[in-house]
Amino acid sequence: MTPLTQLEAVNIMLSAIGETPVNSLTSGLVEAELAETILGQVSRTVQTMGWSFNRDTGVILAQDTNGEVPLALNVLSADSVYESNGNNLVQRGQKFWDRTNRTFTIGKSVKADLIYELDFTDIPPLARSYITVRSARIFQDRVVGSDSLHGFQKRDEDEALIALKDAEADVQDHNIFNNYDVFRVIDRGINGA
């Protein structure tokens, strides 16, 4: 089995409104172009949430020759890791802004947590599936507007999101014992505090 392609996703969206599939993304069919646009918007929105597959933590970003810290074009969100020197850095456009000193000139490297926008083919299959199903519902709502189809597609969308969140939880390896608040309660019970 091969992973879902962008063309297949667009064809799934077209089938949601009863349109025939296209052979390429450059077919010239207005509905196919609209479907591709919606797919891109939904992909960006879903990826902005930040998942294990598109998030890196503790990335060191170098300053440029002007002392500014630029971000790659595919960075959707950047959060500087707090430093004790009091700099309050936030993302503005595609570089960091020092809110304390009101300048783009940071003057040093910055450690940050980043969320990237990845190509549709670079994200995991369950994320592609969720993005496709959500895009199909939105596409159908905008083009046809059928309440009964919306209900069926919304249910499919909810199931795809649950599957994606389950897979995310598996990758993250969350458990109650790697949480300090839980440890404190357990430790209190063991040590009789």
Side-chain angles (χ1 to χ4, degrees), residues 4 54 58 109 146 156 160 171 174:
L4 183 69
N54 73 329
S109 297
S146 167
D156 292 343
V171 170
H174 295 294

Side-chain angles (χ1 to χ4, degrees), residues 97-149:
W97 170 258
D98 182 340
R99 290 176 26 166
T100 305
N101 299 311
R102 294 189 167 102
T103 181
F104 284 112
T105 305
I106 309 301
K108 62 180 180 178
S109 297
V110 172
K111 187 175 186 180
D113 297 338
L114 304 175
I115 296 174
Y116 299 96
E117 179 179 12
L118 304 177
D119 275 346
F120 189 76
T121 55
D122 291 335
I123 61 177
L126 283 173
R128 289 185 210 186
S129 176
Y130 171 64
I131 289 167
T132 300
V133 172
R134 180 179 171 125
S135 297
R137 182 195 47 83
I138 292 170
F139 180 62
Q140 184 280 135
D141 285 349
R142 291 184 185 169
V143 175
V144 178
S146 167
D147 288 337
S148 61
L149 287 176

Side-chain angles (χ1 to χ4, degrees), residues 82-99:
Y82 178 76
E83 296 180 22
S84 59
N85 65 5
N87 283 10
N88 187 0
L89 305 179
V90 295
Q91 179 181 356
R92 278 208 184 158
Q94 290 308 115
K95 53 188 167 183
F96 273 109
W97 170 258
D98 182 340
R99 290 176 26 166

Side-chain angles (χ1 to χ4, degrees), residues 147-159:
D147 288 337
S148 61
L149 287 176
H150 173 87
F152 292 125
Q153 291 174 343
K154 181 64 176 143
R155 186 173 36 234
D156 292 343
E157 179 183 339
D158 292 342
E159 290 173 5

